[in-house]
mmCIF file of all heavy atoms in Angstrom:
data_model
loop_
_atom_site.group_PDB
_atom_site.id
_atom_site.type_symbol
_atom_site.label_atom_id
_atom_site.label_comp_id
_atom_site.label_asym_id
_atom_site.label_seq_id
_atom_site.Cartn_x
_atom_site.Cartn_y
_atom_site.Cartn_z
ATOM 1 N N VAL T 127 32.245 -8.439 78.484
ATOM 2 C CA VAL T 127 31.996 -9.716 77.829
ATOM 3 C C VAL T 127 33.263 -10.551 77.824
ATOM 4 O O VAL T 127 34.345 -10.058 77.497
ATOM 5 C CB VAL T 127 31.500 -9.499 76.386
ATOM 6 C CG1 VAL T 127 31.345 -10.837 75.674
ATOM 7 C CG2 VAL T 127 30.202 -8.719 76.391
ATOM 8 N N GLY T 128 33.103 -11.804 78.165
ATOM 9 C CA GLY T 128 34.238 -12.727 78.099
ATOM 10 C C GLY T 128 34.905 -12.949 79.424
ATOM 11 O O GLY T 128 35.878 -13.673 79.500
ATOM 12 N N SER T 129 34.400 -12.351 80.492
ATOM 13 C CA SER T 129 35.017 -12.569 81.796
ATOM 14 C C SER T 129 34.426 -13.801 82.471
ATOM 15 O O SER T 129 33.633 -13.727 83.384
ATOM 16 C CB SER T 129 34.777 -11.332 82.690
ATOM 17 O OG SER T 129 33.379 -11.078 82.795
ATOM 18 N N PHE T 130 34.787 -14.951 81.946
ATOM 19 C CA PHE T 130 34.328 -16.215 82.510
ATOM 20 C C PHE T 130 35.450 -17.230 82.387
ATOM 21 O O PHE T 130 36.462 -16.956 81.748
ATOM 22 C CB PHE T 130 33.059 -16.712 81.805
ATOM 23 C CG PHE T 130 33.084 -16.566 80.312
ATOM 24 C CD1 PHE T 130 33.723 -17.502 79.522
ATOM 25 C CD2 PHE T 130 32.472 -15.470 79.699
ATOM 26 C CE1 PHE T 130 33.746 -17.358 78.148
ATOM 27 C CE2 PHE T 130 32.507 -15.344 78.332
ATOM 28 C CZ PHE T 130 33.138 -16.276 77.538
ATOM 29 N N PRO T 131 35.313 -18.381 83.039
ATOM 30 C CA PRO T 131 36.417 -19.357 83.104
ATOM 31 C C PRO T 131 36.982 -19.694 81.728
ATOM 32 O O PRO T 131 36.267 -19.779 80.733
ATOM 33 C CB PRO T 131 35.747 -20.585 83.756
ATOM 34 C CG PRO T 131 34.610 -20.019 84.553
ATOM 35 C CD PRO T 131 34.118 -18.831 83.787
ATOM 36 N N SER T 132 38.299 -19.910 81.708
ATOM 37 C CA SER T 132 38.991 -20.169 80.451
ATOM 38 C C SER T 132 38.509 -21.413 79.711
ATOM 39 O O SER T 132 38.457 -21.401 78.475
ATOM 40 C CB SER T 132 40.508 -20.257 80.688
ATOM 41 O OG SER T 132 40.781 -21.278 81.624
ATOM 42 N N PRO T 133 38.150 -22.538 80.396
ATOM 43 C CA PRO T 133 37.626 -23.682 79.634
ATOM 44 C C PRO T 133 36.384 -23.311 78.841
ATOM 45 O O PRO T 133 36.195 -23.761 77.715
ATOM 46 C CB PRO T 133 37.301 -24.715 80.724
ATOM 47 C CG PRO T 133 38.173 -24.357 81.871
ATOM 48 C CD PRO T 133 38.249 -22.859 81.835
ATOM 49 N N LEU T 134 35.554 -22.452 79.443
ATOM 50 C CA LEU T 134 34.335 -22.038 78.775
ATOM 51 C C LEU T 134 34.623 -21.146 77.579
ATOM 52 O O LEU T 134 33.971 -21.239 76.535
ATOM 53 C CB LEU T 134 33.419 -21.312 79.763
ATOM 54 C CG LEU T 134 32.033 -20.933 79.260
ATOM 55 C CD1 LEU T 134 31.293 -22.189 78.823
ATOM 56 C CD2 LEU T 134 31.255 -20.195 80.330
ATOM 57 N N SER T 135 35.632 -20.312 77.689
ATOM 58 C CA SER T 135 35.971 -19.425 76.568
ATOM 59 C C SER T 135 36.434 -20.224 75.363
ATOM 60 O O SER T 135 36.208 -19.840 74.214
ATOM 61 C CB SER T 135 37.057 -18.427 76.997
ATOM 62 O OG SER T 135 38.245 -19.124 77.334
ATOM 63 N N ARG T 136 37.059 -21.377 75.614
ATOM 64 C CA ARG T 136 37.471 -22.226 74.497
ATOM 65 C C ARG T 136 36.263 -22.901 73.837
ATOM 66 O O ARG T 136 36.230 -23.127 72.630
ATOM 67 C CB ARG T 136 38.472 -23.283 74.980
ATOM 68 C CG ARG T 136 39.856 -22.710 75.304
ATOM 69 C CD ARG T 136 40.892 -23.811 75.406
ATOM 70 N NE ARG T 136 40.631 -24.690 76.547
ATOM 71 C CZ ARG T 136 41.130 -24.492 77.766
ATOM 72 N NH1 ARG T 136 41.897 -23.425 77.997
ATOM 73 N NH2 ARG T 136 40.857 -25.336 78.734
ATOM 74 N N ILE T 137 35.257 -23.227 74.666
ATOM 75 C CA ILE T 137 34.053 -23.864 74.124
ATOM 76 C C ILE T 137 33.316 -22.918 73.201
ATOM 77 O O ILE T 137 32.831 -23.298 72.134
ATOM 78 C CB ILE T 137 33.136 -24.312 75.276
ATOM 79 C CG1 ILE T 137 33.790 -25.452 76.050
ATOM 80 C CG2 ILE T 137 31.766 -24.776 74.746
ATOM 81 C CD1 ILE T 137 33.021 -25.878 77.279
ATOM 82 N N VAL T 138 33.234 -21.629 73.616
ATOM 83 C CA VAL T 138 32.412 -20.690 72.851
ATOM 84 C C VAL T 138 33.224 -19.858 71.870
ATOM 85 O O VAL T 138 32.703 -18.935 71.246
ATOM 86 C CB VAL T 138 31.636 -19.739 73.806
ATOM 87 C CG1 VAL T 138 30.686 -20.519 74.658
ATOM 88 C CG2 VAL T 138 32.592 -18.930 74.667
ATOM 89 N N GLY T 139 34.489 -20.157 71.709
ATOM 90 C CA GLY T 139 35.311 -19.415 70.752
ATOM 91 C C GLY T 139 35.121 -19.955 69.351
ATOM 92 O O GLY T 139 35.825 -20.853 68.930
ATOM 93 N N PHE T 140 34.141 -19.452 68.630
ATOM 94 C CA PHE T 140 33.781 -19.989 67.308
ATOM 95 C C PHE T 140 34.684 -19.398 66.226
ATOM 96 O O PHE T 140 34.690 -18.191 66.013
ATOM 97 C CB PHE T 140 32.325 -19.657 66.981
ATOM 98 C CG PHE T 140 31.362 -20.205 67.976
ATOM 99 C CD1 PHE T 140 30.825 -19.390 68.948
ATOM 100 C CD2 PHE T 140 31.029 -21.552 67.956
ATOM 101 C CE1 PHE T 140 29.944 -19.902 69.877
ATOM 102 C CE2 PHE T 140 30.147 -22.067 68.886
ATOM 103 C CZ PHE T 140 29.607 -21.231 69.856
ATOM 104 N N SER T 141 35.379 -20.268 65.529
ATOM 105 C CA SER T 141 36.159 -19.883 64.341
ATOM 106 C C SER T 141 37.104 -18.716 64.634
ATOM 107 O O SER T 141 37.330 -17.861 63.783
ATOM 108 C CB SER T 141 35.218 -19.504 63.192
ATOM 109 O OG SER T 141 34.326 -20.546 62.907
ATOM 110 N N GLY T 142 37.633 -18.653 65.847
ATOM 111 C CA GLY T 142 38.603 -17.605 66.169
ATOM 112 C C GLY T 142 37.981 -16.246 66.439
ATOM 113 O O GLY T 142 38.698 -15.261 66.621
ATOM 114 N N ILE T 143 36.656 -16.162 66.482
ATOM 115 C CA ILE T 143 36.003 -14.870 66.725
ATOM 116 C C ILE T 143 36.068 -14.549 68.214
ATOM 117 O O ILE T 143 35.737 -15.384 69.056
ATOM 118 C CB ILE T 143 34.529 -14.895 66.258
ATOM 119 C CG1 ILE T 143 34.464 -15.165 64.762
ATOM 120 C CG2 ILE T 143 33.814 -13.608 66.612
ATOM 121 C CD1 ILE T 143 33.048 -15.323 64.246
ATOM 122 N N SER T 144 36.458 -13.383 68.573
ATOM 123 C CA SER T 144 36.521 -12.957 69.966
ATOM 124 C C SER T 144 35.135 -12.510 70.403
ATOM 125 O O SER T 144 34.499 -11.675 69.747
ATOM 126 C CB SER T 144 37.524 -11.807 70.123
ATOM 127 O OG SER T 144 37.458 -11.300 71.431
ATOM 128 N N LEU T 145 34.655 -13.080 71.514
ATOM 129 C CA LEU T 145 33.322 -12.726 71.996
ATOM 130 C C LEU T 145 33.226 -11.265 72.393
ATOM 131 O O LEU T 145 32.161 -10.664 72.325
ATOM 132 C CB LEU T 145 32.940 -13.624 73.184
ATOM 133 C CG LEU T 145 32.690 -15.092 72.846
ATOM 134 C CD1 LEU T 145 32.453 -15.881 74.125
ATOM 135 C CD2 LEU T 145 31.506 -15.231 71.919
ATOM 136 N N SER T 146 34.372 -10.695 72.819
ATOM 137 C CA SER T 146 34.362 -9.285 73.224
ATOM 138 C C SER T 146 34.082 -8.358 72.054
ATOM 139 O O SER T 146 33.662 -7.223 72.234
ATOM 140 C CB SER T 146 35.706 -8.922 73.878
ATOM 141 O OG SER T 146 36.763 -9.135 72.944
ATOM 142 N N GLU T 147 34.321 -8.834 70.820
ATOM 143 C CA GLU T 147 34.092 -8.012 69.632
ATOM 144 C C GLU T 147 32.665 -8.137 69.098
ATOM 145 O O GLU T 147 32.256 -7.402 68.206
ATOM 146 C CB GLU T 147 35.074 -8.431 68.530
ATOM 147 C CG GLU T 147 36.540 -8.215 68.903
ATOM 148 C CD GLU T 147 37.485 -8.758 67.834
ATOM 149 O OE1 GLU T 147 36.958 -9.316 66.842
ATOM 150 O OE2 GLU T 147 38.698 -8.638 68.000
ATOM 151 N N LEU T 148 31.902 -9.134 69.628
ATOM 152 C CA LEU T 148 30.547 -9.335 69.134
ATOM 153 C C LEU T 148 29.577 -8.352 69.755
ATOM 154 O O LEU T 148 29.668 -8.017 70.936
ATOM 155 C CB LEU T 148 30.086 -10.769 69.443
ATOM 156 C CG LEU T 148 30.790 -11.889 68.699
ATOM 157 C CD1 LEU T 148 30.297 -13.230 69.210
ATOM 158 C CD2 LEU T 148 30.569 -11.788 67.198
ATOM 159 N N LYS T 149 28.643 -7.876 68.960
ATOM 160 C CA LYS T 149 27.587 -7.007 69.452
ATOM 161 C C LYS T 149 26.368 -7.854 69.792
ATOM 162 O O LYS T 149 26.288 -9.026 69.470
ATOM 163 C CB LYS T 149 27.246 -5.961 68.391
ATOM 164 C CG LYS T 149 28.410 -5.023 68.084
ATOM 165 C CD LYS T 149 28.005 -3.991 67.037
ATOM 166 C CE LYS T 149 29.173 -3.053 66.734
ATOM 167 N NZ LYS T 149 28.832 -2.034 65.718
ATOM 168 N N LEU T 150 25.383 -7.230 70.435
ATOM 169 C CA LEU T 150 24.182 -7.923 70.865
ATOM 170 C C LEU T 150 23.482 -8.601 69.685
ATOM 171 O O LEU T 150 23.077 -9.763 69.770
ATOM 172 C CB LEU T 150 23.223 -6.948 71.550
ATOM 173 C CG LEU T 150 21.887 -7.545 72.023
ATOM 174 C CD1 LEU T 150 22.127 -8.643 73.047
ATOM 175 C CD2 LEU T 150 20.987 -6.453 72.604
ATOM 176 N N LEU T 151 23.339 -7.912 68.556
ATOM 177 C CA LEU T 151 22.666 -8.470 67.389
ATOM 178 C C LEU T 151 23.420 -9.690 66.863
ATOM 179 O O LEU T 151 22.818 -10.685 66.476
ATOM 180 C CB LEU T 151 22.547 -7.410 66.282
ATOM 181 C CG LEU T 151 21.863 -7.867 64.990
ATOM 182 C CD1 LEU T 151 20.435 -8.318 65.286
ATOM 183 C CD2 LEU T 151 21.877 -6.754 63.946
ATOM 184 N N HIS T 152 24.744 -9.584 66.880
ATOM 185 C CA HIS T 152 25.552 -10.710 66.424
ATOM 186 C C HIS T 152 25.327 -11.946 67.296
ATOM 187 O O HIS T 152 25.184 -13.070 66.796
ATOM 188 C CB HIS T 152 27.042 -10.347 66.440
ATOM 189 C CG HIS T 152 27.376 -9.249 65.465
ATOM 190 N ND1 HIS T 152 28.455 -8.409 65.641
ATOM 191 C CD2 HIS T 152 26.767 -8.854 64.320
ATOM 192 C CE1 HIS T 152 28.512 -7.541 64.635
ATOM 193 N NE2 HIS T 152 27.488 -7.801 63.818
#
Side-chain angles (χ1 to χ4, degrees):
V127 176
S129 57
F130 43 82
S132 58
L134 186 59
S135 63
R136 288 195 294 270
I137 292 175
V138 297
F140 301 101
S141 304
I143 299 175
S144 173
L145 291 175
S146 60
E147 298 175 358
L148 292 175
K149 296 181 180 180
L150 178 61
L151 180 60
H152 295 154

